[in-house]
Amino acid sequence: MPGLHTTLTWLLAAACMTAGAPVAEAAPVRLGNVVPGTSVVKSVQSIQERRFENLVAQETDFSCGAASLATILKYAYGRSEVTEAAVLEGMFEIADADQAKKLGFSLLDLNNYVETVGLRGRGYKVDEPALDTVSIPVIVLLDLDGYQHFVVMKKVAGDRVYIGDPALGNKVMPRDEFLEAWNNIIFAVVGENFDTHTVLLDPDQPLTARRLADVFSPVPKQRLLDFGFRHAEVF
């Protein structure tokens, strides 16, 4: 892929941002007498639920990497049983638990864990113009006012970067703001059973006419090969 090359630099992640609050669930609302003698039940989604839709929220101040990884495993690889707690448990088995609780996990820790669950990690250094060619959800490390924080980068479209932040929820970052916080490294999880129609590539978008052009999925097979998928996993 032009502008994309493997990097052997594995940067350490310091403590994540403060863990997100528990997700508040909204109950269905029953509307009576919409039509005389009938009632209609309408499912209602709370703002908190919408914010963390298709995203695993972090429960501790050092688990942003584990939550980001769990998000990709659950929503891009169909491993619906995956939880942040399960990923944390597995990562503690291969990393220094005390150091991780103080400084956070590193990309190397994430890579080592991915291999234990039958997948592969690929680290790439990406030039800014090549951001638009990143066509699968990846994990990135952002420096947010001094906090080193792992998030899921779902897709880049023009001046918008769609982020799954395990502490703050789903959001859209202006491209220039993202570039100021990003270290030019992306971490991709590759292997069998990747869902080319993953919901991570269809994030909620701003309500403007431009959103009609932001079609993110399915991922072309050739793009998967560019990111390190094997031919047998794609065709």
Side-chain angles (χ1 to χ4, degrees), residues 114-232:
V114 163
E115 293 182 352
T116 70
V117 296
L119 298 170
R120 305 184 303 283
R122 292 289 184 269
Y124 298 96
K125 185 172 183 180
V126 183
D127 296 329
E128 187 273 332
L131 264 179
D132 298 278
T133 68
V134 180
S135 53
I136 62 173
V138 296
I139 295 175
V140 297
L141 181 64
L142 301 181
D143 184 333
L144 303 175
D145 295 326
Y147 290 99
Q148 303 298 308
H149 187 51
F150 281 122
V151 301
V152 177
M153 187 183 82
K154 300 177 181 180
K155 192 69 180 178
V156 179
D159 59 358
R160 303 189 300 280
V161 182
Y162 294 84
I163 295 294
D165 185 327
L168 301 178
N170 295 300
K171 61 183 181 180
V172 181
M173 292 183 68
R175 189 183 185 112
D176 56 353
E177 181 181 319
F178 175 84
L179 293 174
E180 289 181 5
W182 178 49
N183 62 4
N184 289 89
I185 304 295
I186 66 172
F187 178 75
V189 178
V190 302
E192 293 184 354
N193 300 318
F194 175 77
D195 180 7
T196 59
H197 292 83
T198 170
V199 294
L200 297 179
L201 294 178
D202 188 25
D204 291 324
Q205 302 164 51
L207 298 177
T208 67
R210 288 190 304 171
R211 70 189 298 272
L212 300 177
D214 291 346
V215 179
F216 297 154
S217 61
V219 183
K221 293 180 178 180
Q222 183 58 47
R223 286 289 181 89
L224 295 181
L225 295 177
D226 291 342
F227 281 93
F229 285 83
R230 293 169 180 157
H231 196 274

Side-chain angles (χ1 to χ4, degrees), residues 23-164:
V23 175
E25 297 183 356
V29 174
R30 184 177 296 275
L31 306 175
N33 293 320
V34 176
V35 176
T38 67
S39 63
V40 176
V41 177
K42 176 66 175 178
S43 296
V44 178
Q45 188 178 48
S46 71
I47 294 176
Q48 187 80 345
E49 286 178 302
R50 181 65 177 270
R51 182 178 298 167
F52 283 90
E53 187 175 24
N54 302 324
L55 177 64
V56 177
Q58 69 183 80
E59 300 296 335
T60 74
D61 60 359
F62 60 85
S63 59
C64 55
S68 296
L69 191 51
T71 294
I72 289 181
L73 294 178
K74 184 172 184 176
Y75 295 108
Y77 282 91
R79 303 191 181 194
S80 58
E81 77 288 352
V82 170
T83 63
E84 179 203 48
V87 175
L88 273 177
E89 182 179 356
M91 293 182 70
F92 281 146
E93 293 179 358
I94 58 175
D96 186 321
D98 291 334
Q99 181 174 352
K101 290 178 180 179
K102 293 178 181 178
L103 302 177
F105 291 103
S106 69
L107 282 176
L108 182 57
D109 294 330
L110 270 63
N111 180 74
N112 290 341
Y113 174 78
V114 163
E115 293 182 352
T116 70
V117 296
L119 298 170
R120 305 184 303 283
R122 292 289 184 269
Y124 298 96
K125 185 172 183 180
V126 183
D127 296 329
E128 187 273 332
L131 264 179
D132 298 278
T133 68
V134 180
S135 53
I136 62 173
V138 296
I139 295 175
V140 297
L141 181 64
L142 301 181
D143 184 333
L144 303 175
D145 295 326
Y147 290 99
Q148 303 298 308
H149 187 51
F150 281 122
V151 301
V152 177
M153 187 183 82
K154 300 177 181 180
K155 192 69 180 178
V156 179
D159 59 358
R160 303 189 300 280
V161 182
Y162 294 84
I163 295 294

